[in-house]
Amino acid sequence: MEINKILEYQTLDSELFKLEKSLRENADKKTASQMQNNAKIAQERSYKLDEKAKELQKEYYNAKNQYAIQKKKMDEIFAKDMDKLSKEEVDKLIKLQEKLSQNLSILERSFAKLAENMNALLSDFNKTKNAFQMAKEQFALSKQKFDKAQNDAMPKKQELAKKLSALEKGIDNKIIEAYKKRRAENIFPVVVSLAGNCCGGCRMELSVANLSKLKEEGILTCEHCHRIIYLK
Ligand SMILES: [Zn+2]
């Protein structure tokens, strides 16, 4: 009977399914993908930090420029011969000098703040760089292990595929096509027996019409899960 052939096919295919499933759920594969993601996150962070460093650098040059301008004004005042100036002019210069001195100390404080920010940025950058490096190394390691697992499974997979394709020749085309379609969706087992009045896969009850169709034809496609139901 046809159903025995497809069941035999399925029994053999279950070995292939298990093998594929274990590769799909391979821990090293998961780690590799996680590490790849971590590396990406670290890289994006380092781009952002780089942007921030550029901004800080710009701020630093602006402050430096400002400092030089204020300092030059200050030097100009000191270079003046006070004796030749009127009292009014001297008072004005003293006020200006006070203002400049204030500006210079504000700038000095902002230099200190900038230096602090730069140090924090640098330390963050180093941490990010290390995280990236670590993720890259772990990715390479996990990938290597997973590739090995895949390669190790290859001969067995090929052997099973060969046997399956030999078995396939004795099975009705329509059934094997329907089977492969479900199988490609990682539905397993594809062929299930009737359990009471229910599909042996999804456990949904079959309609009276479908039950009699199944009794007549021996097999039926489940309307819910699309598995192939057969009568024992
Ligand atoms: Zn079903």
Side-chain angles (χ1 to χ4, degrees), residues 192-201 203-206 214 229-230:
V192 292
S193 62
L194 185 73
N197 285 337
C198 301
C199 161
R203 302 276 151 186
M204 290 294 275
E205 201 175 344
L206 267 66
L214 176 61
I229 307 170
Y230 70 97

Side-chain angles (χ1 to χ4, degrees), residues 21-77:
K21 189 167 184 275
S22 81
L23 287 173
R24 252 198 326 273
E25 292 168 0
N26 182 288
D28 291 314
K29 185 189 174 197
K30 280 182 190 165
T31 308
S33 129
Q34 221 169 23
M35 288 306 126
Q36 199 171 28
N37 199 37
N38 285 1
K40 206 178 139 205
I41 290 168
Q43 200 167 36
E44 275 163 12
R45 174 142 188 85
S46 76
Y47 289 150
K48 272 189 195 149
L49 291 174
D50 198 42
E51 286 295 307
K52 220 170 147 190
K54 278 179 192 151
E55 274 170 38
L56 281 178
Q57 205 176 35
K58 226 165 118 185
E59 268 181 62
Y60 172 77
Y61 283 124
N62 280 342
K64 208 176 144 188
N65 223 1
Q66 272 302 314
Y67 192 88
I69 291 167
Q70 309 277 337
K71 185 80 172 42
K72 195 173 165 237
K73 283 185 188 165
M74 195 77 147
D75 290 344
E76 278 166 10
I77 293 171

Side-chain angles (χ1 to χ4, degrees), residues 117-146:
N117 288 346
M118 276 180 179
N119 279 336
L121 191 72
L122 196 67
S123 131
D124 200 350
F125 191 79
N126 281 333
K127 266 188 218 157
T128 307
K129 205 176 85 181
N130 286 342
F132 175 74
Q133 204 54 37
M134 213 155 84
K136 227 175 82 173
E137 279 164 22
Q138 280 179 349
F139 167 76
L141 209 71
S142 309
K143 192 177 177 298
Q144 199 182 28
K145 281 191 198 165
F146 177 59

